Amino acid sequence: MSVKTVFKTITSESSLNQSIPIEIIATIPEDLQASKIPISLTLCYQKDRNNDSKYQIPSTFMYYHYSIPNRLRTKKATDDDVIGIPLIDTDNDWIKDISRKIANMVAKKYNKPCYVAWSNTKLMDNSTISMDQLFVLRSCMEFVQSIMKQ
Amino acid sequence: MLYFEFKGEFGPDVKSLEGSTLNISATHFTNQILIQIRASGEMDSTYEVTQRGIRPMEQIFSRPIAGQNGVLEENEEEEEEFETMRDHLSDYNVIVRLGDSNDAKIPVICTQIANLYQTVILPQSAPVLRGDNFSGVNLLITLNSKMWRQDENDSNVDFAKLVFLLKSIKEMYVK
C-alpha cells in the first residue's frame, strides 16, 4: 500500500493583474480502491510572492481540517455524507470555509478520508483576500481529479 | 512551503509490519512543523507537541557563544559528579487533537520526535527551517495509531519501530 506525492502551483487566469498563486502538495494513494488511505492536501496561498524559487517560500500555518466519509450513514436524506473536524482552528472565516469545503468535497467524491492544511505567505485579514473561493475550490478539485486518474 | 519526504520499508525486526511502507512528510511553516507519518499509507490520529515552560539553561548554553569551551579540564571531573539527570521528555506538552486520549504510548512517541527535532534536526538545519520561534519546537504530528497497537505485549518490537521511525526522520533531512 503505497502513496505518491504531487506538486502543483495554480494561478488564476481571469484576473491577471491580481493573480495570486496557490501552491498545492497532494499525497494520494496509488491504489485508488484503498478507502482507508487518506488524501492529504497542503495548500499555500502565496500573497506577496517575490521570487520564483519553487517550494521554498516560508509560510505561516493557519488551519488544518480532517474530513472522513460517514460510514455509519443510513439512507436517510438528512444524514451527513461526510463528517469533519478542524484540528487546528483559525479565526479567519474565509480560510476556514474554503479548507473545510475542499476537505469535504474530496472526502465525498473519492470516499476516502482527507486532510487539508492551509498556509499563507503573509498574515492576512479578510479584506486582503482577492481570490474567488469558487475558483480555488474548482482548481483544487480539478487538480485532485487529474492526479487520481493517472 | 519547505517540504521534505521520506519513503522506507519496515525491516524484519518488526515482524507485524515487515514489508509495509513507511512514508514520512514534513512541511516547515514559520510557526509550526507539520509531520505526516503514514504506515501502510494510513494515518488517523493527530497530536500537537509544544515546548513546556522555559527552556532549560543547559540547553541554551549547550554551545558556548565564543571563547572558552566551558570549564577548565581539572574541574571537569568534579563537574561530572554533580551532574544531575534531566528528564528531557517532560519538557514537552502533548495535546491530542484527534485520537485515543487514553493511549499512553503515542504521547511518548511524539515527545521523542519533538526531542529529535529540538536537539538534532533544528540546530543543524538552515535557519529558514526553524521558523520564527526557535525558542521551542511546535510540531503537529499526524500518524497511524494502528501501527503501535499490533504488538501490544512486546515492548521490544515497539522500541524497534520507534528507533526505525526516528532514524527515518533523521535520514529525511540528510539527503
Side-chain angles (χ1 to χ4, degrees):
Chain A
M1 292 298 175
S2 195
V3 291
K4 61 175 175 182
T5 304
V6 191
F7 305 85
K8 199 194 166 146
T9 306
I10 53 168
T11 343
S12 150
E13 281 169 8
S14 55
S15 54
L16 278 173
N17 54 337
Q18 278 208 327
S19 92
I20 294 164
I22 292 186
E23 188 188 325
I24 310 176
I25 301 171
T27 307
I28 59 160
E30 273 177 349
D31 173 17
L32 300 184
Q33 301 305 316
S35 64
K36 282 184 180 174
I37 299 183
I39 296 171
S40 71
L41 298 169
T42 312
L43 300 127
C44 177
Y45 184 86
Q46 300 182 331
K47 192 166 169 55
D48 299 326
R49 180 180 174 172
N50 46 19
N51 54 7
D52 287 320
S53 63
K54 273 191 175 177
Y55 316 119
Q56 293 294 312
I57 307 126
S59 58
T60 308
F61 186 70
M62 297 294 286
Y63 186 67
Y64 195 32
H65 195 93
Y66 180 50
S67 287
I68 188 164
N70 188 352
R71 294 188 211 282
L72 299 172
R73 173 167 51 115
T74 52
K75 283 190 177 149
K76 261 188 266 168
T78 49
D79 286 344
D80 288 334
D81 292 339
V82 174
I83 31 186
I85 182 175
L87 296 170
I88 295 290
D89 216 342
T90 173
D91 56 359
N92 188 317
D93 290 336
W94 192 88
I95 291 171
K96 193 173 170 161
D97 222 31
I98 185 75
S99 310
R100 184 177 50 81
K101 277 181 186 154
I102 295 169
N104 284 354
M105 277 184 84
V106 170
K108 190 170 180 174
K109 186 167 183 184
Y110 299 100
N111 198 30
K112 298 180 206 317
C114 179
Y115 288 89
V116 171
W118 182 281
S119 68
N120 307 123
T121 45
K122 205 178 180 188
L123 285 174
M124 57 184 191
D125 52 60
N126 285 329
S127 59
T128 60
I129 296 165
S130 58
M131 213 172 200
D132 182 16
Q133 246 194 33
L134 262 179
F135 165 76
V136 178
L137 193 59
R138 201 179 56 234
S139 327
C140 283
M141 291 309 289
E142 276 167 8
F143 170 59
V144 174
Q145 194 170 13
S146 70
I147 57 173
M148 290 292 275
K149 270 184 186 165
Q150 282 163 11
Chain B
M1 285 184 287
L2 300 137
Y3 180 81
F4 294 86
E5 64 180 337
F6 175 87
K7 193 176 177 181
E9 212 167 79
F10 286 98
D13 50 339
V14 188
K15 275 217 177 75
S16 55
L17 286 166
E18 194 184 345
S20 57
T21 50
L22 175 75
N23 291 79
I24 307 171
S25 75
T27 319
H28 287 248
F29 300 102
T30 51
N31 53 348
Q32 208 143 26
I33 303 169
L34 174 67
I35 305 167
Q36 295 184 323
I37 300 162
R38 293 165 180 259
S40 327
E42 298 174 25
M43 51 183 188
D44 52 18
S45 302
T46 300
Y47 294 79
E48 192 181 5
V49 190
T50 50
Q51 191 97 15
R52 177 185 294 176
I54 306 165
R55 288 182 70 202
M57 289 300 273
E58 56 191 271
Q59 228 170 313
I60 298 168
F61 294 114
S62 60
R63 267 188 301 174
I65 297 160
Q68 281 185 318
N69 197 352
V71 283
L72 293 170
E73 263 180 39
E74 29 186 312
N75 293 338
E76 252 174 25
E77 278 174 34
E78 270 178 53
E79 285 284 314
E80 269 170 34
E81 275 175 45
F82 293 106
E83 205 181 337
T84 48
M85 288 292 288
R86 271 201 60 87
D87 178 17
H88 288 292
L89 298 182
S90 62
D91 293 340
Y92 302 100
N93 205 6
V94 180
I95 305 157
V96 184
R97 287 290 175 192
L98 185 72
D100 181 5
S101 52
N102 289 321
D103 194 327
K105 223 186 260 178
I106 295 176
V108 177
I109 293 149
C110 291
T111 47
Q112 290 285 356
I113 295 171
N115 205 38
L116 175 72
Y117 269 87
Q118 181 72 49
T119 55
V120 180
I121 293 170
L122 292 181
Q124 287 177 8
S125 57
V128 70
L129 292 184
R130 289 173 206 158
D132 290 337
N133 47 346
F134 187 51
S135 54
V137 284
N138 194 350
L139 303 181
L140 197 59
I141 304 172
T142 299
L143 48 75
N144 183 354
S145 64
K146 275 189 229 161
M147 166 185 170
W148 308 98
R149 278 193 211 131
Q150 275 150 353
D151 306 281
E152 208 75 75
N153 302 314
D154 196 343
S155 54
N156 285 332
V157 178
D158 272 339
F159 186 70
K161 282 180 205 168
L162 179 60
V163 169
F164 178 66
L165 181 64
L166 295 176
K167 257 188 200 163
S168 304
I169 292 175
K170 215 176 146 190
E171 218 169 284
M172 181 162 74
Y173 289 90
V174 173
K175 274 180 232 164

